Amino acid sequence: MTTETTSPTARPGVRALAWQRRRHSAVRFWQQYRTHRAGVLGLATLVLFALVAVTAPLTVGSDVSSVTAAPGRPLEGPSGHLLLGADRFGRDLLGLLVWGARVSLLVGLLAAVLSVAIGTLVGITAGHFRGAYATVMMRITDWFLVMPTLVLAIALATVMSRSLGTVILAIGVTTWPTTARLVRAQTLAVESRPYIERARALGGGHGHIMVRHVLPNVMPLVLAQTTLMISSSILAEATLAFLGLGDPTVVSWGGLLQDAREAGAVSSGDWWYLVPPGIAIAVVALAFTLCGRAVESVLNPRLGVAR
């Protein structure tokens, strides 16, 4: 009777305590993160680009990519009417740049999440089971590490249909080996600790140990690796789009560079066609890198990342 009457009231208390600890951890993380000036600058830049991307339908409209509604002349230079000039179809380049942020950021985020998810799964299982399974998985990982990532992504994007899903899949399945190596090393370190042996002695199965004990300890590494992978994924998406392997029906920063190349903007000196999307790609990639370095420094102070 005592257990039945106290158990329902105890569970909410345990949940409240768990949420309180999470809130305190989040507050402590932010207090340490904001001491990194470069990380704060990168975060502010990303928030600005995210707001621009989210509000694009309201600020530039959904018909900005329409050729029939082009407001300018082909390859028209910057002016008061078109701040960044026009592309080869007469479309507003500023509107295309704003609309392209939606695709570039979305592809970079989803591709990075897919890459880190695959790497985390391979790393944890290879570090936990070891033996023949770990040997096979690490040899596969080594093969992906040796092969040029861009070449594999190009080959995969070539044989599949040209769509955003193909680009995300091509980037995600070719960039996971680094994460797998890092997570496996961390898994081996975690599983050598005494409480893992106690969990096994108490009857904890493979799934329980990997999900309840190993995964929470490798999550800081996974989070930091995700922020760093997003910048690489954005650059990879821009490269594939520049090579003509992206989705031709959507507007992205890499697609704008590919259009500029086809229009001969390099030889004709139409800088307004090339510079803005290139700067946008570089700024976002740098912002994600700064955030990733700051997250690494907060979650692992021994790294000694400069502020």
Side-chain angles (χ1 to χ4, degrees):
M1 293 295 294
T2 305
T3 303
E4 294 179 356
T5 56
T6 58
S7 179
T9 59
R11 290 197 190 106
V14 172
R15 295 195 190 99
L17 181 59
W19 279 108
Q20 184 179 8
R21 289 178 176 174
R22 294 190 183 101
R23 286 194 298 268
H24 288 167
S25 298
V27 171
R28 185 168 58 253
F29 173 84
W30 171 245
Q31 289 175 346
Q32 297 177 9
Y33 182 91
R34 68 182 182 182
T35 61
H36 297 263
R37 292 187 295 271
V40 173
L41 177 61
L43 181 61
T45 303
L46 294 179
V47 170
L48 177 62
F49 272 90
L51 290 176
V52 169
V54 171
T55 59
L58 300 177
T59 56
V60 300
S62 58
D63 60 343
V64 66
S65 60
S66 175
V67 177
T68 57
R73 302 186 309 275
L75 298 179
E76 180 180 347
S79 63
H81 175 55
L82 298 173
L83 296 180
L84 292 182
D87 69 349
R88 58 175 176 166
F89 302 111
R91 298 176 297 181
D92 183 12
L93 275 175
L94 178 59
L96 293 175
L97 188 70
V98 171
W99 194 264
R102 298 168 63 90
V103 175
S104 295
L105 292 177
L106 179 63
V107 171
L109 178 62
L110 294 181
V113 170
L114 176 61
S115 173
V116 172
I118 296 174
T120 302
L121 177 62
V122 172
I124 290 180
T125 54
H128 177 79
F129 290 108
R130 308 181 189 181
Y133 173 81
T135 301
V136 172
M137 295 308 299
M138 287 300 100
R139 295 298 76 78
I140 295 175
T141 302
D142 292 339
W143 184 83
F144 273 95
L145 283 173
V146 172
M147 291 295 294
T149 301
L150 182 59
V151 174
L152 291 176
I154 291 174
L156 188 58
T158 302
V159 300
M160 299 180 66
S161 61
R162 295 174 61 183
S163 64
L164 289 182
T166 299
V167 174
I168 294 171
L169 184 64
I171 299 173
V173 300
T174 56
T175 57
W176 57 267
T178 302
T179 303
R181 279 287 183 183
L182 293 174
V183 172
R184 180 175 182 269
Q186 185 69 12
T187 300
L188 293 174
V190 171
E191 295 214 352
S192 64
R193 297 173 183 173
Y195 67 86
I196 299 295
E197 294 296 330
R198 289 196 295 268
R200 289 196 179 99
L202 292 173
H206 297 297
H208 174 81
I209 291 175
M210 288 189 291
V211 175
R212 298 299 299 271
H213 297 289
V214 177
L215 184 60
N217 283 279
V218 303
M219 278 306 295
L221 176 63
V222 171
L223 177 60
Q225 186 68 11
T226 302
T227 57
L228 293 173
M229 281 299 304
I230 292 176
S231 61
S232 301
S233 299
I234 290 176
L235 292 174
E237 184 276 331
T239 302
L240 293 176
F242 179 75
L243 295 175
L245 299 175
D247 190 345
T249 63
V250 299
V251 178
S252 68
W253 292 336
L256 290 177
L257 291 176
Q258 198 265 347
D259 287 341
R261 181 182 62 84
E262 290 185 350
V266 177
S267 58
S268 61
D270 298 333
W271 59 268
W272 59 87
Y273 208 162
L274 292 166
V275 174
I279 291 179
I281 293 171
V283 169
V284 171
L286 177 61
F288 273 112
T289 301
L290 293 177
C291 289
R293 287 173 58 86
V295 170
E296 278 186 325
S297 181
V298 172
L299 298 179
N300 189 2
R302 292 176 295 178
L303 291 175
V305 178
R307 297 181 179 180

Short mmCIF file of all heavy atoms in Angstrom, two decimals, residues 52 56 73 149 196 218 238:
data_model
loop_
_atom_site.label_atom_id
_atom_site.label_comp_id
_atom_site.label_asym_id
_atom_site.label_seq_id
_atom_site.Cartn_x
_atom_site.Cartn_y
_atom_site.Cartn_z
N VAL A 52 16.30 35.65 -42.40
CA VAL A 52 16.17 36.02 -43.81
C VAL A 52 15.55 34.88 -44.61
O VAL A 52 14.68 35.09 -45.46
CB VAL A 52 17.55 36.42 -44.39
CG1 VAL A 52 17.48 36.54 -45.91
CG2 VAL A 52 18.02 37.73 -43.78
N ALA A 56 11.64 34.85 -46.31
CA ALA A 56 11.81 35.08 -47.75
C ALA A 56 10.48 35.17 -48.50
O ALA A 56 10.32 36.05 -49.36
CB ALA A 56 12.70 34.00 -48.35
N ARG A 73 16.61 43.76 -67.07
CA ARG A 73 17.17 43.25 -68.31
C ARG A 73 18.21 42.18 -68.01
O ARG A 73 18.81 42.18 -66.93
CB ARG A 73 17.82 44.37 -69.11
CG ARG A 73 16.87 45.52 -69.45
CD ARG A 73 17.55 46.52 -70.37
NE ARG A 73 18.84 46.94 -69.83
CZ ARG A 73 19.00 47.92 -68.96
NH1 ARG A 73 17.94 48.59 -68.51
NH2 ARG A 73 20.20 48.24 -68.52
N THR A 149 35.91 12.31 -51.01
CA THR A 149 34.48 12.49 -50.70
C THR A 149 33.73 13.13 -51.85
O THR A 149 32.63 12.70 -52.20
CB THR A 149 34.34 13.34 -49.43
OG1 THR A 149 35.01 12.69 -48.34
CG2 THR A 149 32.88 13.53 -49.08
N ILE A 196 30.11 0.94 -16.30
CA ILE A 196 29.66 0.09 -17.39
C ILE A 196 29.72 -1.37 -16.97
O ILE A 196 28.82 -2.17 -17.25
CB ILE A 196 30.50 0.33 -18.65
CG1 ILE A 196 30.35 1.79 -19.12
CG2 ILE A 196 30.08 -0.62 -19.76
CD1 ILE A 196 28.96 2.15 -19.58
N VAL A 218 28.58 10.46 -25.40
CA VAL A 218 29.16 10.88 -26.67
C VAL A 218 28.35 12.01 -27.32
O VAL A 218 28.80 12.55 -28.33
CB VAL A 218 29.25 9.69 -27.66
CG1 VAL A 218 30.08 8.56 -27.06
CG2 VAL A 218 27.89 9.19 -28.07
N ALA A 238 26.99 23.44 -52.53
CA ALA A 238 27.33 24.49 -53.49
C ALA A 238 28.20 23.93 -54.61
O ALA A 238 28.04 24.29 -55.78
CB ALA A 238 28.04 25.64 -52.78
#
